[in-house]
């Protein structure tokens, strides 16, 4: 059987690099397109150097001409779009890159996809989005029909791109699917994000800075479970549909930090890290929570990893990959952002 080729944009980042691993394990050929930004990390794909089913292109999704050229050369049956600026705090300090990469970038990727789709009718674009587009969900859980009400420039840029993607389906019949996933955790995440940042601090005997009173609640999914859901969607998802992807497990930031401290103190003797409350993020949503019944019922996907197991595995991965932290500028890990 001929090996199918899949494009992953943003494949040097956290979820993209985990998705590439899983696609390769499932015997796809993978083309990674990434512009190589501060959040990219070649450490995430270093083991793929001699893998002839993997190819990397340094390219920006804003560069429509280059993306068209890659698509026609590599002939993928689908593209997963994970290229985005992703840190809410950075979007508060400086929103423009979020408009450029997450909205204009997606517009250019859609234009390139249209161009390629006209000659390759089997192609589909799967656009990866977030639960943050629904805004604060103080009670119950948001299903796919819940209205969008994003709170941060990051979430608003993702919401805009989701609308653009859907408009290309309705107006031009481009086969697309949009996925909205909850907070991911696991190996290879940039240490500006909560869980790897706290693990870094514990390993380095520093305090854990918790925003506000620590009660902001998120739904946490192990990154591999998210990637498995994406491959299920590639195989069985319906064109023109939105799918929520969540674990149904909500935890607040304080609880997560306490769990990490407990794991850390077991592994690292004489650890002195403790919780330290710091000024809250402006516009900080209280709670996100997804209703993921659609993907469970219609596509028969379910998560495999419960939070406690996933968190221990994640801690151990960072501990066994201390080189990973060295590949970042120290200020990108330690400096406080989003504090306007
Ligand atoms: N991390 C999460 O918890 C989470 C949850 C739900 C959805 N998402 C979405 O999943 C996607 C991936 O998130 P992540 O956490 O892996 O992000 P990340 O920041 O780790 O990686 C993003 C990658 O995209 C690349 N990129 C950015 N702009 C680009 C452009 N214009 N052209 C080409 N490449 C570009 C970056 O260089 C980087 O390598 C994003 O779309 C994000 O919104 C993330």
């Amino acid at each position: 059987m001929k090996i199918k080729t899949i494009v992953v944009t943003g494949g040097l980042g956290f979820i993209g690099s985990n998705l590439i691993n899983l696609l390769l394990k499932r015997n796809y050929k993978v083309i990674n397109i990434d512009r190589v930004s501060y959040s990219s990390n070649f450490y995430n794909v270093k083991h793929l150097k001699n893998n002839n089913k993997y190819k990397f292109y340094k390219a920006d999704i804003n560069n429509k001409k280059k993306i068209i050229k890659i698509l026609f050369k590599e002939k993928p049956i689908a593209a997963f779009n994970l290229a985005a600026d992703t840190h809410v705090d950075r979007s508060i300090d400086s929103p423009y890159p979020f408009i450029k990469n997450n909205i204009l970038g997606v517009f250019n990727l859609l234009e390139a996809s249209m161009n390629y789709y006209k000659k390759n009718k089997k192609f589909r674009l799967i656009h990866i989005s977030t639960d943050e587009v629904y805004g604060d969900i103080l009670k119950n859980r948001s299903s796919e029909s819940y209205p969008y009400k994003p709170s941060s420039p990051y979430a608003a840029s993702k919401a805009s791109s989701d609308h653009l993607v859907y408009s290309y389906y309705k107006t031009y019949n481009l086969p697309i699917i949009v996925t909205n996933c909850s907070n991911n955790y696991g190996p290879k995440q940039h240490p500006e994000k909560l869980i790897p940042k706290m693990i870094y601090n514990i390993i380095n005997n520093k305090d854990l800075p918790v925003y506000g009173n620590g009660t902001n609640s998120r739904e946490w999914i192990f990154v591999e479970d998210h990637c498995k859901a994406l491959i299920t969607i590639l195989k069985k998802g319906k064109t023109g549909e939105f799918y929520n992807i969540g674990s149904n497990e909500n935890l607040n930031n304080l609880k997560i930090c306490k769990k990490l401290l407990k794991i850390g103190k077991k592994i690292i003797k004489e650890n002195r890290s403790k919780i330290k409350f710091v000024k809250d993020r402006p516009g900080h949503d209280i709670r996100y929570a997804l209703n993921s019944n659609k993907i469970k019922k219609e596509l028969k996907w379910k998560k495999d990893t419960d939070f406690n197991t996933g968190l221990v595995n994640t801690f151990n991965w960072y501990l066994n990959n201390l080189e990973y932290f060295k590949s970042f500028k120290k200020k990108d890990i330690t400096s406080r952002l989003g504090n306007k």
Side-chain angles (χ1 to χ4, degrees), residues 14-15 34-35 37 40 60-61 86 101 129 154 158 184:
F14 166 45
I15 303 172
D34 199 299
R35 82 182 165 98
S37 71
S40 305
D60 192 314
I61 56 167
T86 60
N101 293 308
S129 188
Y154 161 68
K158 293 299 291 182
N184 285 225

Side-chain angles (χ1 to χ4, degrees), residues 46-58:
K46 68 175 173 30
H47 58 294
L48 301 176
K49 229 161 103 194
N50 299 319
N51 188 327
N52 58 13
K53 288 199 336 236
Y54 169 78
K55 202 165 172 184
F56 172 67
Y57 286 93
K58 182 177 188 309

Side-chain angles (χ1 to χ4, degrees), residues 97-308:
F98 291 76
I99 309 305
K100 185 173 172 217
N101 293 308
N102 301 2
I103 305 178
L104 275 176
V106 167
F107 165 68
N108 281 305
L109 182 64
L110 284 164
E111 286 286 299
S113 299
M114 277 304 298
N115 193 303
Y116 174 66
Y117 171 66
K118 282 179 191 153
K119 297 265 154 49
N120 294 270
K121 292 287 184 189
K122 281 188 180 146
F123 178 74
R124 292 210 290 182
L125 177 68
I126 301 171
H127 174 66
I128 284 58
S129 188
T130 161
D131 59 356
E132 302 201 22
V133 296
Y134 299 117
D136 241 340
I137 305 295
L138 296 177
K139 9 180 235 272
N140 304 324
R141 313 188 80 82
S142 50
S143 67
E144 290 81 355
S145 57
Y146 206 86
Y148 274 25
K149 203 176 181 187
S151 303
S152 68
Y154 161 68
S157 70
K158 293 299 291 182
S160 311
S161 67
D162 297 1
H163 292 319
L164 258 182
V165 170
Y166 186 68
S167 77
Y168 271 65
Y169 166 71
K170 281 291 269 192
T171 308
Y172 307 113
N173 297 319
L174 181 70
I176 61 88
I177 294 175
V178 177
T179 66
N180 296 89
C181 189
S182 65
N183 269 29
N184 285 225
Y185 69 98
K188 305 180 177 184
Q189 186 169 29
H190 192 295
E192 68 186 358
K193 306 281 169 59
L194 182 77
I195 290 181
K197 185 182 190 120
M198 298 305 175
I199 294 174
Y200 173 86
N201 281 12
I202 294 171
I203 292 172
N204 290 289
N205 242 322
K206 291 176 190 296
D207 288 345
L208 311 193
V210 173
Y211 289 0
N213 58 12
T215 53
N216 303 71
S217 167
R218 299 291 181 264
E219 180 178 353
W220 291 92
I221 185 169
F222 192 55
V223 64
E224 201 175 86
D225 279 333
H226 180 194
C227 296
K228 284 178 184 165
L230 292 177
I231 296 181
T232 303
I233 284 166
L234 168 73
K235 287 183 170 164
K236 301 196 264 181
K238 239 175 100 188
T239 296
E241 295 287 319
F242 284 56
Y243 292 95
N244 283 347
I245 306 169
S247 63
N248 218 33
E249 269 187 292
N250 266 71
L251 285 105
N252 71 34
N253 293 346
L254 187 58
K255 213 166 189 175
I256 288 181
C257 290
K258 285 184 176 165
K259 278 180 187 286
L260 285 170
L261 276 178
K262 212 168 155 188
I263 300 169
K265 285 185 197 285
K266 261 193 205 156
I267 304 174
I268 307 161
K269 305 278 173 267
E270 293 178 27
N271 178 271
R272 292 183 304 279
S273 303
K274 55 183 188 320
I275 308 275
K276 183 178 148 205
F277 293 100
V278 298
K279 194 177 160 203
D280 207 353
R281 163 193 286 169
H284 201 176
D285 282 333
I286 306 285
R287 179 175 178 264
Y288 301 135
L290 290 173
N291 173 332
S292 304
N293 288 342
K294 181 175 171 180
I295 185 169
K296 285 186 205 154
K297 282 195 182 133
E298 292 181 13
L299 307 188
K300 310 283 176 233
W301 167 86
K302 61 171 183 46
K303 69 164 188 195
D304 292 327
T305 309
D306 71 84
F307 187 74
N308 288 333

